[in-house]
Amino acid sequence: MSFRTTRSSHPVLLDDVRGAQKMLSGVARTTAMEGSRHLSRLVGAPVHLKCENLQRTGSFKLRGAYVRISCLRPEERAAGVVAASAGNHAQGVALASTLLGVRSTVFMPVGAPLPKIAATREYGADVRLHGQVVDETLAAAERYAHETGAVLIHPFDHPDVIAGQGTVGLEILEQCPEVRTIVVGVGGGGLAAGIAVAVKALRPDVRIVGVQAEGAAAYPSSLRAGRPLSVPCAPTMADGIKVGRPGDVTFPLVAELVDEVRTVSEDALSSALLLCLERAKLVVEPAGASPVAALLTSPETFQGPVVAVLSGGNVDPLLMQRILRHGMAAAGRYLSLRLRLTDRPGALATLLGVLSLADANVLDVGHVRTDPRLGLTEVEVELHLETKGPEHCEEVAAALREAGYIVLP
């Protein structure tokens, strides 16, 4: 049961978003808006971070899930709800259901990160592990809904969900009334569509830029075709926006109201996550960092003041470790190189002394002695170093050459 009071060809209106905001009062946090001096210098205008990573459950998903379940009829609530998700939507549905006294069942892939499974259970859901990928998990949830009568809560493609996510847009206008550009990650399009509905109704001059990962970008081709298209998704660290097809409800809203959809690389995503952690002191998942990745990629193309929506912060610690290494490598703060030494006592110590004087931190050392390309008294050494950036990498390599070492290609 929707709470719409105005009839229109649009599936979601400003009145719906305002109604959702009232419904979420005391439930969802009005998340902080933090300025970023580093990004502001890059863009040449003020840049603010809308911290939905600090929302309850760690992402914006609680907003839409709560509104959707709140609008169910009494008999639908009695039947319970079901969802399929690898993370953020699962936790949003679990907490929203518990707050509303509705039984929830959440299907998650077998390989879902253990912290996300544990959090979803702690929020009150009956978690069932099924399938290796989300498509298989969703099919299991749909079967469960058909067999039990439970209501399937879609992660993005429903007007009530979009209205709930749109409350982020109302908060942005309240917290940064001078905003000129809003940058937001796009998966299925629920958050971008909701923000666009709210913001364009009140401030049509504000430019809204959606961001997708290069390997999972269904919107650019769909927008060119004028209809939702399915695209194969390559592996991406930004699993929160890895959606192979735009939603039937979200697509027309994004097509009409979002000014542009861009794509960002894996290197840009990891660099953005690293920047959020180091400079803003914020833990952000790759999908949540996608707007920052877009700013890092082409800062001169954004008109400020800019608000970048950090949509979530639920990242598995093991994945975070890998991403940070990737981000440091992308930023030129890792240096891997190979060189040959005479295999004699003290040779490695001498090499490490040169690296110490060059102020490079040695992370790992590997030896190869059995390669047929090596001479009888030679050993090949592979080094992994932590540096201060691209210029320092060049300085370290130059110091090795000056000490007589030959750096191998």
Side-chain angles (χ1 to χ4, degrees):
M1 180 178 67
S2 177
F3 45 79
R4 169 166 300 117
T5 58
T6 306
R7 293 185 178 274
S8 169
S9 60
H10 283 182
V12 186
L13 302 171
L14 176 61
D15 284 348
D16 299 319
V17 182
R18 284 177 165 158
Q21 188 175 46
K22 293 178 182 177
M23 195 176 291
L24 289 167
S25 178
V27 176
R29 295 170 181 156
T30 299
T31 51
M33 183 88 76
E34 299 288 345
S36 171
R37 285 180 292 180
H38 180 76
L39 291 173
S40 297
R41 284 195 296 269
L42 285 178
V43 173
V47 174
H48 307 279
L49 306 175
K50 176 61 172 167
C51 300
E52 281 296 290
N53 59 310
L54 303 180
Q55 184 56 263
R56 296 177 72 178
T57 75
S59 87
F60 71 97
K61 290 288 190 177
L62 172 66
R63 298 173 184 262
Y66 188 89
V67 173
R68 173 75 176 102
I69 298 169
S70 293
C71 292
L72 295 178
R73 299 187 301 272
E75 61 271 24
E76 291 175 319
R77 292 195 188 197
V81 299
V82 62
S85 168
N88 289 346
H89 181 57
Q91 294 172 65
V93 168
L95 179 58
S97 300
T98 297
L99 292 174
L100 290 164
V102 176
R103 183 178 70 259
S104 65
T105 303
V106 175
F107 286 80
M108 303 182 75
V110 173
L114 293 178
K116 294 185 178 182
I117 295 173
T120 304
R121 284 185 172 134
E122 288 173 9
Y123 286 130
D126 173 17
V127 174
R128 303 189 182 190
L129 302 180
H130 184 91
Q132 299 299 320
V133 296
V134 174
D135 286 345
E136 296 174 357
T137 308
L138 177 59
E142 290 172 339
R143 286 194 298 272
Y144 179 88
H146 178 72
E147 294 167 359
T148 66
V151 179
L152 181 67
I153 306 300
H154 198 280
F156 55 84
D157 210 30
H158 191 279
D160 293 339
V161 173
I162 296 168
Q165 321 304 28
T167 58
V168 175
L170 294 181
E171 290 180 16
I172 289 172
L173 295 182
E174 293 165 2
Q175 295 170 310
C176 185
E178 68 278 13
V179 63
R180 298 298 301 277
T181 305
I182 297 173
V183 193
V184 56
V186 178
L191 178 61
I195 289 175
V197 166
V199 172
K200 289 294 188 178
L202 296 169
R203 287 281 308 281
D205 59 301
V206 174
R207 185 171 178 80
I208 299 176
V209 178
V211 183
Q212 293 202 290
E214 284 180 353
Y219 265 94
S221 58
S222 297
L223 291 170
R224 287 192 295 269
R227 68 185 192 281
L229 297 178
S230 298
V231 300
C233 288
T236 175
M237 65 181 72
D239 59 344
I241 52 175
K242 183 180 177 181
V243 177
R245 184 184 184 278
D248 292 324
V249 181
T250 57
F251 177 77
L253 292 170
V254 172
E256 179 179 347
L257 300 174
V258 174
D259 296 281
E260 179 186 1
V261 176
R262 303 186 181 190
T263 62
V264 292
S265 68
E266 296 296 291
D267 282 353
L269 286 166
S270 58
S271 295
L273 187 146
L274 181 62
L275 184 144
C276 289
L277 186 63
E278 287 191 323
R279 306 301 292 267
K281 315 306 177 190
L282 292 169
V283 175
V284 183
E285 62 191 87
S290 59
V292 175
L295 292 172
L296 292 176
T297 301
S298 51
E300 72 285 351
T301 63
F302 292 91
Q303 184 178 17
V306 177
V307 173
V309 181
L310 307 182
S311 58
N314 292 316
V315 56
D316 178 58
L318 295 177
L319 176 62
M320 171 73 87
Q321 187 178 30
R322 295 197 298 271
I323 292 171
L324 290 178
R325 286 199 300 266
H326 188 274
M328 292 181 72
R333 290 166 56 183
Y334 278 148
L335 175 61
S336 297
L337 45 82
R338 294 180 303 119
L339 41 81
R340 289 179 184 174
L341 305 177
T342 300
D343 194 7
R344 58 176 174 78
L348 181 59
T350 301
L351 170 61
L352 296 178
V354 174
L355 295 172
S356 177
L357 290 174
D359 204 20
N361 183 32
V362 179
L363 300 175
D364 190 31
V365 179
H367 292 79
V368 176
R369 288 188 169 87
T370 58
D371 194 305
R373 295 171 300 175
L374 296 174
L376 185 63
T377 61
E378 287 183 322
V379 59
E380 186 174 292
V381 176
E382 183 175 0
L383 296 165
H384 297 279
L385 311 173
E386 182 182 357
T387 68
K388 301 173 184 177
E391 292 183 2
H392 190 211
C393 288
E394 295 176 3
E395 293 170 3
V396 171
L400 290 170
R401 286 191 291 268
E402 290 174 7
Y405 295 101
I406 298 175
V407 179
L408 300 174

